[in-house]
Amino acid sequence: MNTSIKSALCVLAICLLFSCTDESKKNVALQPLIPQPDNVTLDSGSFILKSGSKIYFDGNQEIKGSADYLSNLLNPATDFDFEVIQSGSIKNKHFNLRLSPDKSDLGDEGYELEITRKRVVLTAYRSAGIFRGIQTIRQLLPPSIEQQGQYNEGLALPVIAIQDTPKYSYRGAMLDVSRHFFDVDEVKRYIDFLTLYKMNRLHLHLADDQGWRIEIKSWPNLTAHGGSTEVGGGTGGFYTQEQYKEIVQYASDRYITIIPEIDMPGHTNAALASYPELNCDGKAPELYTGTRVGFSSLCVDKELTYEFIDDVIREVAALTPGPYIHIGGDESHATEKADYLKFVNRVQGIVRSHGKEMIGWDETAQANLTSTSVTQLWANKEFALQAISKGAKLIMSPASRTYMDLKYDSTTVLGLTWAGYIEVDHGYSWDPAQYMEGVNEDNILGIEAPLWSETVTNMDEIEYMVFPRMPGYAELGWSGSGEWEAYRKRLPGHGVRWEVMDIDFYRSPKVDW
Ligand code: IFG
């Protein structure tokens, strides 16, 4: 065979192998990414998703779950079958997920994403990094892929190189399931929101005056009675320990750690109403369905109280793979100051005796915190400084910036106003590391955006209060603070994605949707 035919065949073979068709020379629109990655290098051309493309993962079984997650994301959107296959080598024409032991600079959640016309390679040091990188791949694809089962002709990814690591290790949101109860499926959907934006902590506010929401086998009336109502007098509800484990697993599969909160010694009417013996006078109060705070207190002088707390913490710790248990400690206006401090010191010891570290709202910083305890700043800067002086780290949740249950502005029907309004720009335009004198980045574990549910009663209302604010907190936690004018331009593209995801978001006038 003469050389010219040979070289022609060779070019043909290479073209067929590397799909040198024109289409991979075409550029695809760069979708807006939130959180903003550290380093992005965009090139020309695209990687076309084709039938027969596969998802290869290197040997580590841990990342097979992420490979399956990517496959389950792409298959319904393309009508292809992205088979997941173990492989030690990188394959052209396919997705490649790989852990690299020498990429320690990527830390626990960082990743490198290299998309060329020929292949996709996602590399991380730890499996969480692979999962976070998959959210970037997801956001680089058009919003239409979020509609499971909606076929997308010729899906393509831009040729791009991204290296990305998070600024803070604690990036979370809170859901108050006590004032109004939300069931397992609703909590899973809330976890889906956190997943898309690389958040890694879900704080569940499981017990308060209006409802006790987690089954405690040694104190069954906490849920039987204490879980039977909610703000406004509805039927409330609670998670059996099996259901709670389902929530924990769903979160864990998405590299999200659940932080359970049992608020004490205040915010305890549901417990006190469930067991007369927990009350100093031996009389159980009525269940409470209002929205006042600061009127209840465990009986700090009774030994039974600490047996109760030990039982509760023991059972909750056994359901908590994560390192923390949140004991609340806020607004204990019905507890004498000296008693409160003694109480917090004793409960800190109980939490640690069950192998967990204590998180408390900022009032708890007045006690003898160990340096392994964590203080969640919500209202009092003095207490935050006290926490730091004891070597404790801070979770930044200043109400006036992060409380997603506050109204956007005076026209918002839902929500509260006690800490002002939080329009989407106000929630984004601040820097946790510059928030207050005496607190710098080294003192901060991370950021958390709470959603209290006095006025929030269903998933639509959760979505309205959470979007568009929550992605901004995710960006502050992952990328650090940014410029509102640049960030606001990235929101409309996410608005389209939220529509496809059937998220009922607030169309803030601050954004050109
Ligand atoms: N403060 C209370 C919450 C809730 C909130 C509503 C904390 C730590 C006001 N405590 O925030 O129980 O009522 O915005």
Side-chain angles (χ1 to χ4, degrees):
M1 188 185 299
N2 70 34
T3 43
S4 56
I5 292 173
K6 258 192 211 163
S7 54
L9 285 176
C10 178
V11 167
L12 178 63
I14 288 171
C15 270
L16 285 177
L17 189 62
F18 294 117
S19 65
C20 286
T21 57
D22 289 346
E23 48 181 358
S24 73
K25 289 197 175 65
K26 263 190 293 190
N27 296 335
V28 286
L30 179 62
Q31 298 291 336
L33 298 177
I34 299 177
Q36 178 67 38
D38 283 340
N39 301 299
V40 178
T41 307
L42 182 64
D43 210 325
S44 63
S46 58
F47 173 81
I48 316 282
L49 275 65
K50 289 186 180 315
S51 172
S53 281
K54 302 186 192 316
I55 298 170
Y56 288 97
F57 71 97
D58 79 343
N60 187 304
Q61 280 306 318
E62 262 185 87
I63 64 173
K64 181 180 185 308
S66 293
D68 291 339
Y69 177 96
L70 178 58
S71 178
N72 295 333
L73 179 75
L74 297 178
N75 289 348
T78 56
D79 226 10
F80 300 153
D81 171 20
F82 284 87
E83 204 181 340
V84 171
I85 303 173
Q86 197 162 355
S87 161
S89 61
I90 290 177
K91 309 279 185 191
N92 281 334
K93 292 179 28 179
H94 303 289
F95 287 87
N96 299 268
L97 311 180
R98 312 173 60 69
L99 286 186
S100 172
D102 57 15
K103 292 273 184 189
S104 58
D105 58 316
L106 293 175
D108 288 343
E109 297 181 84
Y111 62 90
E112 285 176 355
L113 177 60
E114 190 199 20
I115 303 176
T116 69
R117 289 186 185 151
K118 300 179 191 118
R119 64 193 187 194
V120 176
V121 182
L122 175 59
T123 309
Y125 181 57
R126 291 280 185 264
S127 54
I130 293 292
F131 190 79
R132 302 295 178 236
I134 286 172
Q135 301 310 316
T136 300
I137 291 172
R138 175 180 176 185
Q139 288 193 14
L140 286 171
L141 290 165
S144 55
I145 69 139
E146 301 291 351
Q147 173 76 50
Q148 297 295 303
Q150 177 179 330
Y151 174 65
N152 293 272
E153 186 64 42
L155 272 184
L157 285 160
V159 171
I160 198 166
I162 293 178
Q163 196 196 38
D164 200 8
T165 57
K167 181 175 181 122
Y168 297 110
S169 63
Y170 188 114
R171 306 179 311 280
M174 187 204 84
L175 183 59
D176 169 6
V177 297
S178 176
R179 277 46 182 274
H180 280 93
F181 179 67
F182 300 103
D183 67 22
V184 172
D185 288 338
E186 290 170 318
V187 175
K188 284 180 175 179
R189 183 162 167 83
Y190 199 76
I191 290 169
D192 290 343
F193 302 155
L194 275 58
T195 300
L196 177 58
Y197 291 102
K198 300 191 175 75
M199 280 188 159
N200 65 4
R201 300 284 185 273
L202 170 59
H203 170 180
L204 286 177
H205 187 73
L206 292 164
D208 205 303
D209 290 319
Q210 295 87 347
W212 187 288
R213 306 298 182 206
I214 175 75
E215 177 194 11
I216 301 294
K217 296 182 189 298
S218 49
W219 296 73
N221 221 28
L222 289 170
T223 44
H225 185 62
S228 64
T229 187
E230 59 190 356
V231 167
T235 51
F238 65 92
Y239 311 113
T240 64
Q241 292 199 1
E242 285 316 301
Q243 288 171 320
Y244 185 78
K245 283 178 192 168
E246 194 183 326
I247 291 173
V248 170
Q249 188 59 55
Y250 190 85
S252 172
D253 291 346
R254 289 150 180 83
Y255 295 89
I256 292 173
T257 301
I258 298 289
I259 312 278
E261 179 188 350
I262 305 292
D263 206 342
M264 58 179 91
H267 287 278
T268 42
N269 188 76
L272 295 166
S274 303
Y275 287 96
E277 61 271 40
L278 283 178
N279 296 265
C280 287
D281 62 3
K283 295 196 188 78
E286 292 302 312
L287 289 171
Y288 179 66
T289 60
T291 57
R292 283 188 302 111
V293 297
F295 60 87
S296 56
S297 175
L298 291 175
C299 186
V300 294
D301 295 333
K302 266 190 177 183
E303 268 315 297
L304 178 68
T305 296
Y306 301 96
E307 289 166 33
F308 163 72
I309 291 169
D310 190 65
D311 288 341
V312 169
I313 299 292
R314 172 173 40 76
E315 291 196 38
V316 172
L319 297 164
T320 301
Y324 295 114
I325 287 185
H326 199 306
I327 60 104
D330 61 307
E331 299 179 320
S332 299
H333 306 323
T335 314
E336 287 298 319
K337 173 77 178 287
D339 292 341
Y340 172 81
L341 297 177
K342 224 167 38 175
F343 177 89
V344 173
N345 290 336
R346 191 164 173 183
V347 171
Q348 180 177 243
I350 292 173
V351 170
R352 304 196 77 206
S353 74
H354 291 288
K356 303 296 176 185
E357 296 299 345
M358 179 182 83
I359 300 180
W361 296 106
D362 57 40
E363 293 94 324
T364 55
Q366 303 171 88
N368 302 330
L369 292 189
T370 66
S371 61
T372 53
S373 289
V374 174
T375 294
Q376 185 162 8
L377 168 63
W378 68 284
N380 190 311
K381 293 180 177 178
E382 272 317 299
F383 294 158
L385 293 175
Q386 285 191 41
I388 291 172
S389 73
K390 296 163 185 172
K393 292 267 188 185
L394 296 176
I395 294 168
M396 300 299 281
S397 299
S400 62
R401 292 284 185 176
T402 66
Y403 272 29
M404 298 191 286
D405 62 305
L406 295 177
K407 291 176 184 291
Y408 287 97
D409 63 24
S410 59
T411 67
T412 314
V413 173
L414 293 170
L416 302 177
T417 58
W418 69 273
Y421 297 127
I422 303 183
E423 248 296 358
V424 60
D425 57 336
H426 185 64
Y428 179 81
S429 306
W430 64 291
D431 180 353
Q434 307 290 328
Y435 175 71
M436 59 177 277
E437 193 62 37
V439 169
N440 61 48
E441 197 174 315
D442 299 339
N443 305 122
I444 295 172
L445 196 59
I447 176 174
E448 181 190 295
L451 177 67
W452 298 101
S453 61
E454 282 94 336
T455 66
V456 178
T457 68
N458 60 44
M459 184 43 73
D460 278 351
E461 294 177 354
I462 287 178
E463 292 166 4
Y464 190 81
M465 300 305 270
V466 165
F467 289 95
R469 289 182 285 198
M470 196 268 290
Y473 302 122
E475 175 145 317
L476 289 176
W478 180 281
S479 324
S481 64
E483 291 306 316
W484 163 251
E485 279 310 320
Y487 173 71
R488 68 186 289 276
K489 294 187 179 75
R490 284 183 272 140
L491 282 171
H494 284 257
V496 175
R497 195 173 289 267
W498 302 335
E499 279 171 343
V500 175
M501 292 170 76
D502 199 20
I503 290 174
D504 177 31
F505 68 97
Y506 162 64
R507 288 178 174 279
S508 166
K510 303 285 183 179
V511 179
D512 303 329
W513 301 105

